[in-house]
Amino acid sequence: KFIYETSCREKNNVPVDADAAWGKIMPQLESGPIRIVALSNPEKKAFPFLKIAAGLVLICLVAVTVYYFLPARQKTNELLSVLTEDKSVEQKLPDGSIVTVNPNSSFVALHKTRREYKLSGNAYFDVKHDDKNPFIIHVNNLCIKDIGTSFSVEGDPKEDIIRVNVTEGEVQLYTIYQKGITLKAGESGAYYKSMDVFEKVQNDTDSGTKTFSMNFENSSLFEVATALEKQFDVKIVFAKPALKTCRISVKIEGSNLDEILEIIGETMDIWTTEENGIITLGGDGCTR
């Protein structure tokens, strides 16, 4: 209220004579040259800028020198990478091992010191064994560990199955979640990526039959049947669709198809019949 009332009071206007004020200043301007005072000194600012520029040039020269004149031993630490198109490539590794990378495949080193590699596609390995520095190949989430071996790997990324064939020595197949299986000379193994299931195959040259080793852990009966179809080249159907979802955990070693079906039947109370090359699984199973 006080501010409002005070602001409304009439103020006395002070007369201003602009001509008289200008008349006092003019004689001072005409008395001599005007002195100009610089607010900054450009010469002093240029010197720090030149110092910074010279420092940057020096850093660039040092970086280029280090890059081009490093010792040769440091350049050899670059990670190995082999990519093939229509021809196989044989590559000798620093440890003396030899890998033959098949067409349309890739083989890449994952570390400079540890013998770990990533494979996409097919390759054959002749490995120099070293207990202190194991030779490990990664194919998707499958790990293949050398135990003094010559072996081949079929790891097409478009296929659900990864196959390993051992010609000499021994290898171990495993994942971060499963212990997997061990293959010796003359044995073959398979890993199903979608089911996380391992399989061991050994050819019996005397009888001409094949025996398989499988380790199913909480797998559906449909997944088990799919694995058997691929390996034995048979057709398996279900009498009741509900049986496909039944789950089973069973370890099978060195068994043929009839023995495997018998083990599954006893484990899950399932009967099997075969007609015209088609195997039928029936019964109550887990649906009771």
Side-chain angles (χ1 to χ4, degrees), residues 187-288:
E187 293 181 333
S188 300
Y191 172 72
Y192 296 88
K193 293 182 283 187
S194 61
M195 298 185 291
D196 194 24
V197 171
F198 292 91
E199 179 181 67
K200 183 189 292 186
V201 185
Q202 183 174 9
N203 293 328
D204 189 345
T205 55
D206 295 333
S207 61
T209 61
K210 290 184 178 180
T211 59
F212 289 76
S213 297
M214 302 180 185
N215 186 15
F216 295 102
E217 296 184 6
N218 196 29
S219 302
S220 69
L221 196 55
F222 177 75
E223 292 174 336
V224 175
T226 301
L228 295 177
E229 285 180 331
K230 291 181 178 179
Q231 292 305 317
F232 290 99
D233 194 22
V234 294
K235 179 66 176 178
I236 300 178
V237 297
F238 294 86
K240 294 181 180 180
L243 291 175
K244 296 181 179 180
T245 60
C246 294
R247 309 198 76 82
I248 183 175
S249 295
V250 60
K251 186 175 183 180
I252 304 170
E253 294 184 357
S255 302
N256 57 35
L257 179 59
D258 292 337
E259 293 171 338
I260 294 173
L261 292 175
E262 184 177 353
I263 293 173
I264 294 174
E266 294 177 353
T267 304
M268 304 190 67
D269 192 18
I270 291 176
W271 53 261
T272 62
T273 61
E274 183 176 355
E275 185 177 356
N276 297 326
I278 300 177
I279 299 174
T280 302
L281 303 182
D284 294 328
C286 64
T287 61
R288 292 185 299 179

Side-chain angles (χ1 to χ4, degrees), residues 112-157:
K112 293 182 178 180
T113 55
R114 299 201 302 269
R115 301 194 303 168
E116 293 193 37
Y117 303 89
K118 180 179 179 181
L119 173 66
S120 177
N122 305 334
Y124 179 81
F125 299 88
D126 187 1
V127 179
K128 299 293 184 181
H129 184 65
D130 185 351
D131 289 328
K132 297 181 180 179
N133 192 4
F135 191 95
I136 300 175
I137 303 169
H138 298 264
V139 188
N140 292 94
N141 61 325
L142 175 67
C143 298
I144 305 169
K145 182 179 179 180
D146 152 69
I147 311 178
T149 314
S150 296
F151 60 96
S152 63
V153 179
E154 300 174 16
D156 189 339

